[in-house]
Amino acid sequence: MTQDNHGKKYKFGMVIDLDKCTGCGSCMVACMSENNVPFKEDETNKKDSITWMRVFKLTNGKPFPETDICYMPRPCMHCGGKGDHGHSPCVSVCPATATDYGHDTGIVSQIYTRCFGCRYCMGACPYHARYFNWWDPKWPDGMEEYLSPNVSPRMRGVVEKCSFCYHRYQAARDKAYHEERRDEIEESEYQTACTQACPAGAITFGDLNNPDHEVCKFVNPDPHQCGKPRNPKAFRLLERLQTNPKVYYISEREWVRKAGDNYRDGEWGKEIHSSDGNSHK
Amino acid sequence: MDSALIPKGAKRCPFPVFATGIAVVGAVLLWGVYAMGLCWLKGLNQTNMNDYYGFALWIWADLAVIAIGGGAFFTGLLKYVFGIDELKNIINLAVVIGFICYSSALLILAIDIGQPLRGWFIFWHANVHSMLTEVAFCLSLYFSVLTIEFVPLILENRQIDKVPFFHNLSHNMHGVMAIFAATGAFLSCFHQGSLGGVAGVLYGRPFAYREGLLVWPWTFFLFTWSAAAYGPCFTLVVTKLFEGITRKKLVKDNVVNLLAKISGWMITTYIIAKIIDTIYWMGVTAPDMGFSVMDFYSNNSFYGIWILFAEIVLGGIVPAVILTVKKYRENKKLLLVAIILGVFGVCLNRWVMVLQVMAVPVMSFDTWALYLPSWQEVATTILPVAYGIILISLAYRYLPVFPQEQELYDTK
Ligand code: SF4
Ligand code: SF4
């Protein structure tokens, strides 16, 4: 097993408590306004509308009265990629280096002015976290006034995705520098918009490399297993693909944890040995 | 009217008939150009692609034309590097087809990217780890090689050849053609392979992902091999088409049979490798990721297990058997069936490796995504076909594409 990017400065990540999420969508709204995400007049077709943060609805598939629902907010997972070295599925395929892995933060960035819209990265991302600008960005009259000056709007023909509100990290870093703390930033100084907007407090954000941060306490990531959670109630989406996300989910419900990955008949709950020598439960 | 341009002694249809044919195909071409204009001016919202289908009909068309255009590099390799001299009678055609296929691929790519004016970023900001970067470099280099291979044929036009400079140039270019053919074959191995790598490296997509050797997934080798195997099938299909339309024999049977036989053995070895790859993927790669084979072929209205059967049996084993067995290969009808099935098989493989990859849900709660292209996508995909027909008809009319044409005509 390889080591993750610990030792490097930060490894920002998110923990989402699925038992707290009510599916209200506040995170989605907060994200769109924070990040100047354009929208269409008719947003019914979810396959071509841009939602950096998207809440999926899962059901356990059982009839009443056992029916159970789970809402799963899905930002970009900021995958560390195989071995957690920063070869995220999307970063490794972009031919123009228009999406990059920040080894000092663990954040996967997107350079809008360099992306030429080949969409290879979209094909590479199993979470559908990447969105293409099929149209010119438009806002209803007067709404341009409300756009955030800290985030550049994107042009037609390029791909965009969740940035973990990177501009907030930059602001926090600038502030710390100004106050002569070098770039030692406090947990509360850098929080994403969705984290702050969630009325249920389902989202927690922080540095996974810092044992004092809530995210680290919640999931107890194993640095020798690319950050795999040691908390048995925590999981990462599609763990078996070895994308090594930095977004973790927590749920007491077994079916929810099971829905986080694919299992063949009889595999769930058992130790699974894969051909490359990894084992997995 | 244009008889001064037609190769000496060659019989061609009267100019008005030719011009009418070109005009009809030209109308289709204009339709495609219109659709292309719409995509460039209004953007890719003109297509039915979406965030689940970032790669769709166009990428398939790209992969497919490059695969069937593989006849150019492989025939070149056989003739110039392995010294199989009979193939000189079909190499011109293979080069023209290759030129058309590769220029079409470049055109489609230029329509497909969201910011066409930034297309050069792929060279400028190249990410050497990306398969697409490798594709872009090798594709453009090989296209230049193909152009160089095409030029001597153009110079052989009756009027151009009269100019001493062009005559000598053409002569000298023929002399060094082996170097270009070898370079072309080398470049082709890489870009055909990297096109296969495009899908094979996607470790987030269990349907596409393959293990491999060093940085190259198995699909890298399978794509190169299949282009070499099936490319000649398309060269032969076009030859047969020409012979059908002109009602003339243009290439001698021994040449056709030789190429068919080589193609047959290549398909045989390819399909064995493909079957081994498929079994390993079904038994090890996909299960490691939590998938059973049938997860990829059920619960949707289109991608059933039939598609795997069609690709491997109809498009692989059947043509392999027909083309390797002398008795079947020499049967004109069976030969035709085999080369058509071969072209179908390789195109289907490319389809599956692009569109089915996008269709299969990966997250357990996600759903299958099916897609139908918009008319703009269809028109821009037909555009290169129309362009190809026009270019190849012009080449046939004015250039000595088939060296045996005269001889076959005289013996008739
Ligand atoms: S979730 Fe998708 S877009 Fe985000 S880092 Fe992973 S592969 Fe890239
Ligand atoms: S769409 Fe943009 S970011 Fe994505 S792979 Fe292509 S150039 Fe890179």
Side-chain angles (χ1 to χ4, degrees):
Chain A
M1 253 304 127
T2 37
Q3 306 258 316
D4 62 352
N5 66 335
H6 64 188
K8 298 282 167 50
K9 192 82 190 124
Y10 299 112
K11 188 180 179 188
F12 291 111
M14 189 177 271
V15 179
I16 304 179
D17 189 332
L18 296 175
D19 298 341
K20 285 188 184 161
C21 173
T22 61
C24 70
S26 298
C27 52
M28 294 177 66
V29 175
C31 173
M32 288 187 87
S33 70
E34 175 79 17
N35 290 297
N36 297 337
V37 176
F39 44 89
K40 301 178 294 175
E41 217 158 275
D42 176 1
E43 287 276 0
T44 45
N45 182 1
K46 286 293 166 234
K47 289 203 168 80
D48 63 15
S49 55
I50 303 177
T51 45
W52 288 14
M53 173 61 115
R54 172 156 177 213
V55 179
F56 281 87
K57 181 181 173 185
L58 282 60
T59 92
N60 63 351
K62 292 203 177 138
F64 180 81
E66 274 120 63
T67 312
D68 193 10
I69 298 271
C70 165
Y71 293 98
M72 177 182 272
R74 189 260 25 226
C76 165
M77 304 279 142
H78 296 273
C79 306
K82 276 201 174 162
D84 213 12
H85 300 303
H87 302 295
S88 329
C90 53
V91 171
S92 55
V93 299
C94 173
T97 335
T99 179
D100 208 7
Y101 191 84
H103 287 276
D104 51 343
T105 56
I107 293 177
V108 173
S109 65
Q110 179 73 14
I111 309 165
Y112 311 122
T113 44
R114 190 185 281 179
C115 169
F116 66 95
C118 69
R119 305 180 301 284
Y120 191 13
C121 54
M122 291 169 54
C125 171
Y127 307 100
H128 294 295
R130 293 184 158 265
Y131 295 91
F132 186 70
N133 282 274
W134 301 99
W135 286 270
D136 284 306
K138 272 205 194 87
W139 286 271
D141 272 349
M143 223 186 127
E144 291 96 341
E145 311 282 330
Y146 291 84
L147 293 182
S148 162
N150 297 325
V151 181
S152 55
R154 282 72 57 184
M155 60 295 277
R156 185 180 86 195
V158 304
V159 164
E160 59 181 71
K161 67 160 193 75
C162 155
S163 67
F164 269 177
C165 293
Y166 195 76
H167 55 288
R168 291 188 173 206
Y169 166 66
Q170 289 172 315
R173 203 181 47 187
D174 287 354
K175 181 163 171 272
Y177 199 79
H178 183 68
E179 291 168 4
E180 292 180 353
R181 284 182 279 136
R182 314 273 314 237
D183 54 355
E184 299 301 330
I185 56 175
E186 302 285 326
E187 187 174 10
S188 61
E189 282 179 317
Y190 171 32
Q191 289 293 319
T192 63
C194 52
T195 309
Q196 292 180 331
C198 176
I203 307 179
T204 316
F205 184 80
D207 179 10
L208 292 163
N209 276 350
N210 188 333
D212 297 332
H213 281 207
E214 286 299 312
V215 281
C216 199
K217 291 187 204 154
F218 275 145
V219 295
N220 192 8
D222 183 350
H224 301 288
Q225 292 232 44
C226 301
K228 216 166 133 178
R230 279 177 285 204
N231 170 356
K233 304 289 181 207
F235 66 95
R236 298 189 290 185
L237 258 187
L238 301 173
E239 178 75 56
R240 298 178 75 175
L241 300 188
Q242 303 179 43
T243 49
N244 292 314
K246 278 189 275 296
V247 174
Y248 297 74
Y249 295 94
I250 293 185
S251 178
E252 291 288 333
R253 293 171 287 176
E254 192 183 358
W255 75 265
V256 171
R257 297 198 300 271
K258 185 177 174 207
D261 213 333
N262 294 286
Y263 299 93
R264 293 181 307 141
D265 290 343
E267 276 185 333
W268 172 251
K270 299 208 186 88
E271 184 89 14
I272 306 166
H273 297 281
S274 63
S275 60
D276 58 5
N278 286 345
S279 60
H280 184 77
K281 197 173 161 174
Chain B
M1 195 173 161
D2 56 346
S3 53
L5 289 166
I6 291 173
K8 219 177 184 141
K11 293 278 167 294
R12 295 289 181 266
C13 67
F15 185 72
V17 177
F18 178 73
T20 315
I22 294 292
V24 172
V25 185
V28 178
L29 182 103
L30 284 182
W31 178 56
V33 171
Y34 173 63
M36 178 173 79
L38 282 180
C39 293
W40 274 338
L41 290 175
K42 297 195 171 178
L44 296 182
N45 51 50
Q46 299 294 304
T47 70
N48 271 354
M49 288 192 279
N50 55 45
D51 294 327
Y52 276 56
Y53 270 98
F55 279 4
L57 186 72
W58 284 333
I59 296 290
W60 165 74
D62 251 327
L63 263 57
V65 291
I66 288 178
I68 60 180
F73 90 86
F74 190 58
T75 320
L77 181 77
L78 292 173
K79 176 176 181 297
Y80 293 106
V81 181
F82 294 116
I84 305 182
D85 203 48
E86 286 100 313
L87 294 178
K88 68 170 183 279
N89 297 312
I90 203 160
I91 186 93
N92 287 348
L93 179 68
V95 166
V96 179
I97 295 175
F99 181 85
I100 291 171
C101 287
Y102 279 78
S103 46
S104 300
L106 290 171
L107 177 72
I108 298 177
L109 278 180
I111 310 173
D112 187 58
I113 54 180
Q115 285 280 342
L117 295 178
R118 295 184 189 168
W120 55 281
F121 285 13
I122 201 168
F123 303 109
W124 195 255
H125 298 293
N127 167 14
V128 292
H129 302 291
S130 171
M131 283 291 162
L132 216 53
T133 309
E134 196 172 318
V135 170
F137 274 92
C138 294
L139 202 78
S140 4
L141 283 175
Y142 181 53
F143 180 64
S144 331
V145 171
L146 269 174
T147 312
I148 296 173
E149 291 187 71
F150 190 15
V151 167
L153 182 65
I154 300 176
L155 297 181
E156 277 177 45
N157 173 277
R158 211 164 106 198
Q159 298 303 326
I160 301 179
D161 194 49
K162 280 186 188 156
V163 183
F165 172 74
F166 289 134
H167 177 85
N168 293 332
L169 180 64
S170 149
H171 185 79
N172 289 326
M173 283 183 87
H174 276 299
V176 292
M177 215 32 87
I179 299 167
F180 287 108
T183 319
F186 175 76
L187 287 171
S188 285
C189 286
F190 278 92
H191 77 249
Q192 295 280 1
S194 38
L195 279 173
V198 165
V201 296
L202 300 179
Y203 66 93
R205 295 281 190 166
F207 183 75
Y209 179 66
R210 295 293 189 281
E211 276 96 353
L213 190 70
L214 305 173
V215 295
W216 297 293
W218 297 129
T219 48
F220 184 97
F221 306 99
L222 289 173
F223 266 50
T224 306
W225 205 253
S226 57
Y230 291 103
C233 282
F234 187 65
T235 313
L236 291 176
V237 168
V238 176
T239 311
K240 294 289 161 199
L241 260 174
F242 260 108
E243 293 189 339
I245 293 169
T246 60
R247 284 186 238 105
K248 263 190 283 197
K249 190 129 193 59
L250 296 168
V251 180
K252 284 188 188 164
D253 282 340
N254 69 327
V255 179
V256 169
N257 284 334
L258 174 67
L259 195 57
K261 179 174 148 191
I262 297 173
S263 172
W265 282 107
M266 290 292 291
I267 297 178
T268 307
T269 46
Y270 162 73
I271 208 72
I272 292 171
K274 172 75 191 172
I275 291 171
I276 297 172
D277 169 72
T278 308
I279 291 173
Y280 187 80
W281 165 72
M282 284 178 171
V284 180
T285 317
D288 271 356
M289 297 171 143
F291 286 82
S292 320
V293 183
M294 285 317 287
D295 293 338
F296 302 122
Y297 296 101
S298 39
N299 299 321
N300 78 98
S301 52
F302 183 71
Y303 293 105
I305 196 79
W306 67 268
I307 208 157
L308 189 64
F309 173 84
E311 183 193 334
I312 292 193
V313 179
L314 292 184
I317 297 174
V318 175
V321 170
I322 299 180
L323 295 179
T324 40
V325 179
K326 189 161 186 277
K327 188 171 74 195
Y328 299 151
R329 177 172 70 230
E330 287 178 355
N331 175 325
K332 294 239 155 53
K333 289 215 176 80
L334 276 180
L335 175 75
L336 200 60
V337 170
I339 53 180
I340 292 174
L341 278 180
V343 173
F344 158 81
V346 75
C347 291
L348 187 63
N349 169 265
R350 301 314 195 242
W351 178 277
V352 164
M353 290 312 277
V354 176
L355 283 109
Q356 194 170 352
V357 172
M358 300 293 132
V360 178
V362 183
M363 290 184 290
S364 72
F365 46 88
D366 213 346
T367 48
W368 279 80
L370 297 178
Y371 134 103
L372 267 181
S374 70
W375 75 261
Q376 291 91 330
E377 285 174 272
V378 175
T380 39
T381 306
I382 293 177
L383 161 70
V385 179
Y387 145 78
I389 294 177
I390 294 178
L391 191 67
I392 206 164
S393 313
L394 287 171
Y396 169 70
R397 193 172 174 85
Y398 299 121
L399 306 174
V401 175
F402 297 101
Q404 293 176 314
E405 182 183 357
Q406 196 61 42
E407 190 189 332
L408 282 163
Y409 184 75
D410 293 343
T411 51
K412 199 168 114 188

